[in-house]
Amino acid sequence: MKLAYWMYAGPAHIGTLRVASSFRNVHAIMHAPLGDDYFNVMRSTSERERDFTPVTASVVDRHVLARGSQEKVINNISRKDEEQHPDLIVSTPTCTSSILQEDLQNFVDRASLSSESDVIPADVNYHRVNEPQAADRTLEQITRFYLDKALKRSSLDRSVTNVPSANIIGIFTSGFHNQHDCRELKRLLGESGILVNQVIPEGGSLNDLKDLPRAWFNTVPYREVGLMTATFLEKEYGMPYISITPMGISNTADFIVQIGKLVNVWASALSEKRLNYKPYVENQTKFVSQAAWFSKSIDCQNLAGKEAVIFGDATHAASITKILVKEMGIRVSCSGTYCKHDAERFNEQVQGLCDEVIVTEDHTEVGDTIARIEPSAIFGTQMERHIGKRIDIPCGVISSPVHIQNFPPGYRPFLGYEGTNQIADLVYNSFNLGMEDHSLDVFGGHDTKGVSTKSLSTDRRDINWTPEAESEPNRIPGFVRGRARKNTEVSAKQNNIPEITIDVTYAAREKSSS
């Protein structure tokens, strides 16, 4: 089977399913044809989960098409209610339910009459939103539903905790290093004297959602999921939130400074002692994070002048761009994201840090951009890793879409001060260091790099090389061979030369060195 089209972000129902299955004792029902129920396999094989609530597929078959969907969907909801006794059943729309013009709200209302569980339809427009947008909306919908429910029952506790506390919003299943990031974020908050009130949706209990307003503030580590919930809590319950992603030395320091501001506002109101986080930031930066030391080392300085292309979700792509440029002195030729709905914010974040910005959901456009720039390294998704393999450019994976290798058993966070160490390692090890290739050439190592003739550009016109010209690049160091070949072909095209001879290579070399 050949992959017809790669999607950076999945369809809307995958986002809903990820949120629903992240909560404890929540069951999701998806009305779709057989074959669309790959979510269970995707989660169990990639994330290596020991215990999770599987998603139920209400399969659309010929009988459903003949008689209608209502009976089957209601029966599936009732069956799961009797068998699993979940706190909540979420019915999610799919492309099939949209095509069949199913009235999911009516199905849910009918099923609720005989169900002991709460039953709601996911309130997402399948045709207008993608996976992260649907996840963001579903999380806000579930949070609002249970807070409104607690308010009606007068069981909502509005009193704040006795000590500074925070909710972490947006950690959920199949997220890029989410579990590791959550652990590091808890440590960061704990060392700052902040009690973690709740983490949602991953591992969260619906019965505890009524206590969300007790926290002093909310943190949203990823812009893709959690902002709608945080905005709702701020508007309805007056809870401030921090949307700074603590990724990299600078952003982590800004994150802690923002914590200090919020905590001290509450401290003043409660006549508590104001906190000073400056000594903590200095100690962590100098002695816990090795990234600050590494950025001044000769190893990192050897990366000066290297070019990189960055592509991923808005949170990770913007953060890695800042780290490479501001903290490691690496030139970013292009930074991009597939989160088109967050394009304006992304442009603001990377403005002045890269030569060009690309916002697209088309992987071929990203591939052609990389082939045109020919950077020293790529930092992107699993798609960019495949692109890099095709054109012999190393790639460090920094964002979803994810692969099984993005769920390492070891501890590898991207957030916090330990995250700065992990990112420094990833960046450094993703580059092919020039002297390494050169030494292999000189001493005849088995990894001697050949001339790369691969390209992803769709408008590339092949140029013939004579045997003598073909062997000429072998005389120069391996780490500049690919660029030398490209410069020669560009020069030949500009001068309308159909065949590259040894004289053409000499002329191109003289032109590039002048």
Side-chain angles (χ1 to χ4, degrees):
M1 181 183 294
K2 184 178 180 181
L3 181 66
Y5 188 77
W6 176 283
M7 296 176 64
Y8 284 105
H13 70 270
I14 294 297
T16 295
L17 298 181
R18 287 176 65 188
V19 170
S21 62
S22 294
F23 279 109
R24 295 202 305 268
N25 205 30
V26 174
H27 206 97
I29 291 183
M30 171 185 63
H31 194 55
L34 192 66
D36 279 2
D37 56 345
Y38 59 87
F39 177 81
N40 291 330
V41 177
M42 179 179 70
R43 178 170 182 182
S44 61
T45 57
S46 295
E47 201 163 3
R48 305 184 182 101
E49 282 281 331
R50 295 183 182 182
D51 182 30
F52 69 94
T53 304
V55 169
T56 295
S58 178
V59 179
V60 176
D61 53 23
R62 57 191 176 90
H63 301 293
V64 170
L65 295 176
R67 296 196 298 257
S69 306
Q70 178 172 280
E71 180 183 348
K72 187 160 191 175
V73 173
I74 293 175
N75 287 342
N76 278 322
I77 292 175
S78 300
R79 178 170 59 87
K80 284 302 169 182
D81 176 55
E82 294 176 1
E83 293 175 356
Q84 307 291 337
H85 304 291
D87 296 323
L88 172 67
I89 296 176
V90 179
S91 178
T92 177
T94 64
C95 59
T96 303
S97 64
S98 299
I99 292 172
L100 296 177
Q101 297 183 338
E102 295 176 334
D103 186 357
L104 287 183
Q105 183 64 60
N106 180 46
F107 298 172
V108 165
D109 292 341
R110 289 279 306 277
S112 298
L113 296 175
S114 59
S115 174
E116 294 183 4
S117 309
D118 292 322
V119 187
I120 63 172
D123 184 19
V124 295
N125 187 318
Y126 184 90
H127 298 290
R128 293 189 177 182
V129 300
N130 57 17
E131 178 184 340
Q133 290 173 290
D136 200 16
R137 171 65 183 130
T138 302
L139 180 58
E140 187 264 349
Q141 180 188 359
I142 293 175
T143 303
R144 182 189 293 269
F145 179 85
Y146 279 94
L147 285 176
D148 288 348
K149 183 177 179 180
L151 196 59
K152 291 176 182 177
R153 293 182 175 181
S154 300
S155 60
L156 187 66
D157 190 353
R158 299 291 298 271
S159 62
V160 296
T161 56
N162 295 326
V163 296
S165 59
N167 298 315
I168 301 175
I169 302 175
I171 303 293
F172 69 136
T173 185
S174 299
F176 183 79
H177 290 239
N178 271 201
Q179 302 301 325
H180 305 235
D181 286 348
C182 184
R183 179 177 159 189
E184 182 64 18
L185 196 52
K186 286 180 178 179
R187 187 186 71 83
L188 194 65
L189 291 170
E191 292 181 352
S192 302
I194 309 298
L195 173 71
V196 176
N197 185 47
Q198 287 191 41
V199 178
I200 61 170
E202 182 63 17
S205 171
L206 299 180
N207 296 324
D208 294 334
L209 290 180
K210 66 180 184 302
D211 294 326
L212 279 174
R214 298 202 64 201
W216 291 26
F217 61 92
N218 296 311
T219 64
V220 185
Y222 314 111
R223 289 188 58 80
E224 287 69 38
V225 180
L227 275 179
M228 288 186 70
T229 303
T231 303
F232 159 70
L233 291 171
E234 182 181 50
K235 180 179 179 180
E236 299 295 330
Y237 297 93
M239 299 180 68
Y241 67 89
I242 302 175
S243 60
I244 298 172
T245 302
M247 192 180 303
I249 297 172
S250 177
N251 273 9
T252 302
D254 291 342
F255 176 79
I256 295 173
V257 168
Q258 191 65 27
I259 288 177
K261 290 180 179 178
L262 293 179
V263 169
N264 286 328
V265 167
W266 277 100
S268 300
L270 299 174
S271 300
E272 298 284 344
K273 181 180 179 182
R274 293 175 61 87
L275 299 177
N276 179 16
Y277 287 107
K278 187 175 181 180
Y280 173 77
V281 172
E282 292 178 350
N283 179 70
Q284 293 287 312
T285 302
K286 292 180 179 178
F287 302 111
V288 175
S289 170
Q290 298 297 311
W293 165 83
F294 177 76
S295 64
K296 300 175 183 177
S297 69
I298 188 64
D299 291 319
C300 188
Q301 290 176 18
N302 283 336
L303 299 179
K306 297 279 188 179
E307 292 183 58
V309 169
I310 299 173
F311 192 85
D313 64 38
T315 296
H316 288 83
S319 297
I320 297 297
T321 299
K322 293 178 183 178
I323 292 170
L324 261 61
V325 176
K326 294 184 176 181
E327 299 176 13
M328 303 185 76
I330 297 170
R331 177 183 174 187
V332 175
S333 300
C334 179
S335 182
T337 182
Y338 55 81
C339 298
K340 298 176 71 173
H341 61 281
D342 204 20
E344 183 177 353
R345 167 76 178 183
F346 180 80
N347 275 280
E348 292 176 1
Q349 292 290 300
V350 301
Q351 190 69 37
L353 300 178
C354 55
D355 298 338
E356 60 180 288
V357 177
I358 180 172
V359 179
T360 182
E361 294 176 345
D362 185 355
H363 66 88
T364 59
E365 183 179 354
V366 178
D368 285 346
T369 300
I370 293 172
R372 169 175 56 82
I373 295 174
E374 198 177 354
S376 302
I378 309 165
F379 297 95
T381 72
Q382 285 292 335
M383 187 61 208
E384 281 65 54
R385 188 174 72 90
H386 294 310
I387 291 171
K389 282 186 174 181
R390 291 175 60 189
I391 55 179
D392 297 324
I393 298 177
C395 176
V397 179
I398 53 97
S399 166
S400 298
V402 292
H403 186 272
I404 189 171
Q405 69 175 194
N406 302 129
F407 299 97
Y411 185 49
R412 301 174 75 178
F414 270 48
L415 302 186
Y417 287 106
E418 179 56 32
T420 63
N421 298 333
Q422 297 294 333
I423 292 173
D425 279 342
L426 176 68
V427 170
Y428 184 72
N429 294 328
S430 294
F431 282 96
N432 283 333
L433 300 183
M435 289 308 297
E436 179 183 3
D437 280 346
H438 187 43
S439 297
L440 288 169
D441 283 346
V442 171
F443 296 106
H446 63 280
D447 286 330
T448 300
K449 184 177 180 181
V451 179
S452 172
T453 59
K454 299 177 182 178
S455 174
L456 292 177
S457 299
T458 55
D459 60 349
R460 174 187 168 94
R461 180 170 59 88
D462 292 330
I463 299 178
N464 293 326
W465 287 63
T466 64
E468 286 184 341
E470 194 76 54
S471 62
E472 180 61 23
N474 293 331
R475 301 176 182 272
I476 61 178
F479 62 93
V480 293
R481 241 178 248 164
R483 188 170 294 277
R485 183 184 180 94
K486 180 178 179 180
N487 290 341
T488 302
E489 292 186 350
V490 168
S491 177
K493 287 180 182 179
Q494 290 175 345
N495 293 283
N496 295 320
I497 299 174
E499 185 178 60
I500 295 178
T501 64
I502 191 72
D503 293 332
V504 174
T505 63
Y506 290 155
R509 193 181 306 171
E510 290 177 2
K511 181 179 179 181
S512 62
S513 61
S514 60

